[in-house]
Amino acid sequence: MTDLSKAQPADRVVPMVRAEAVHKSYGPLQVLRGIDLEVRAGQVFVLVGPSGSGKSTFLRCVNHLEKVDGGRLWVDGELVGYREGRGGRLYELKDREVAHRRRDIGMVFQHFNLFPHMTAAQNVMEAPVQVKGEPRAAARERARALLERVGLADKADSYPAQLSGGQQQRVAIARALAMEPKLMLFDEPTSALDPELVGDVLDVMRGLAEEGMTMVVVTHEMGFAREVGDALVFMDGGVVVESGHPREVLTDPKHERTRAFLSKVL
């Protein structure tokens, strides 16, 4: 990690996410090979590409679930996983500091990861109570409001096993929102769902976009990308191959690799 010391420029609007030459390897396997991109506050930023292209790994680096091996990565102007000391020297943050910063980033995974022994409302209120010390009564009230927001007001007292996959994923979204994040990360949130359940989850995400939530979305739902996305990046082999407005990239891709991928998914 020798090239992380460059300071965030002060003469520009600070993006919500900024990546410069981000690298990540697992042993000899290079998963990210120099990712450069910016996500502005309020944007819906979509990452598409074939399996193994590095999309999900990049998302996990943004949340510091994975440590980058090189390059620089900021969220809302703060280096992810590090702080800068005198002379530009970087110091890796302690786990507690990383967890504190991570509170501002909501993440929704492919698989819902709900606590099976807790009701939907209890799943949503758990983090605010345990992490923020929010009073249980207030957390319970807000949990029910968030479940109503995702269309599950009548499922507050249901356990995950009593919910469909789409309903569980909407509970997972409500759980992420309970921490009042400034940034939401979605890692293929509909890929584990039956086709008829996808629409309800995408409708919730559309609603978040309309409310101005900054979102980075890894997805194969090209209709959603075209309709809701503000910016789109096509990744392959750990690099950004093509980027632009979703409608432009999806209807008139410039790169042959992008055209080949889209011919199989559109």
Side-chain angles (χ1 to χ4, degrees):
M1 297 298 299
T2 58
D3 62 338
L4 283 168
S5 57
K6 188 176 178 180
Q8 178 85 337
D11 59 346
R12 61 187 301 178
V13 176
V14 176
M16 183 60 71
V17 179
R18 182 173 177 228
E20 283 190 356
V22 170
H23 287 74
K24 176 65 182 178
S25 298
Y26 299 102
L29 178 63
Q30 295 185 15
V31 181
L32 300 177
R33 298 188 294 137
I35 300 297
D36 295 294
L37 57 81
E38 287 189 0
V39 181
R40 298 195 309 271
Q43 269 193 325
V44 177
F45 194 98
V46 183
L47 300 175
V48 302
S51 297
S53 59
K55 309 181 303 295
S56 294
T57 298
F58 177 75
L59 217 60
R60 292 174 65 86
C61 288
V62 172
N63 208 11
H64 203 56
L65 295 174
E66 299 283 356
K67 297 180 182 180
V68 301
D69 297 321
R72 301 172 291 276
L73 183 59
W74 292 270
V75 170
D76 200 19
E78 292 188 331
L79 278 169
V80 173
Y82 295 85
R83 64 176 176 85
E84 188 172 357
R86 291 182 178 178
R89 183 177 179 182
L90 291 183
Y91 299 88
E92 189 167 358
L93 296 178
K94 296 180 180 179
D95 290 344
R96 180 174 293 183
E97 294 174 284
V98 170
H100 181 78
R101 291 190 181 185
R102 193 180 286 142
R103 300 193 311 181
D104 292 329
I105 305 173
M107 188 157 185
V108 178
F109 300 87
Q110 289 184 34
H111 300 287
F112 329 119
N113 299 332
L114 299 178
F115 296 115
H117 62 289
M118 293 183 178
T119 66
Q122 288 169 338
N123 266 280
V124 175
M125 63 186 283
E126 180 70 5
V129 170
Q130 298 298 330
V131 178
K132 288 188 171 182
E134 190 171 315
R136 297 192 71 85
R140 185 179 297 108
E141 182 177 348
R142 197 153 60 85
R144 290 182 177 274
L146 285 168
L147 289 171
E148 182 176 5
R149 182 177 178 184
V150 300
L152 294 174
D154 60 334
K155 300 296 184 182
D157 297 321
S158 298
Y159 289 89
Q162 298 171 312
L163 302 175
S164 70
Q167 289 170 334
Q168 290 186 60
Q169 191 62 294
R170 283 185 280 159
V171 173
I173 294 173
R175 179 180 59 183
L177 293 173
M179 292 295 286
E180 301 179 312
K182 64 178 71 171
L183 169 67
M184 285 283 286
L185 309 176
F186 292 86
D187 187 7
E188 299 191 31
T190 60
S191 64
L193 302 180
D194 293 333
E196 65 269 22
L197 302 177
V198 168
D200 290 338
V201 173
L202 293 181
D203 284 345
V204 171
M205 295 171 65
R206 285 188 182 93
L208 292 176
E210 291 170 0
E211 294 169 11
M213 173 64 73
T214 309
M215 302 160 60
V216 182
V217 184
V218 172
T219 186
H220 293 294
E221 300 290 340
M222 298 303 165
F224 174 86
R226 183 186 296 108
E227 296 165 20
V228 183
D230 298 303
L232 181 144
V233 158
F234 170 67
M235 290 178 60
D236 189 32
V239 300
V240 172
V241 176
E242 188 164 346
S243 62
H245 191 280
R247 290 188 183 90
E248 295 176 0
V249 176
L250 295 177
T251 59
D252 187 25
K254 307 303 182 187
H255 197 283
E256 176 57 36
R257 181 66 188 94
T258 314
R259 290 194 291 270
F261 172 77
L262 292 176
S263 71
K264 298 177 181 178
V265 299
L266 291 177

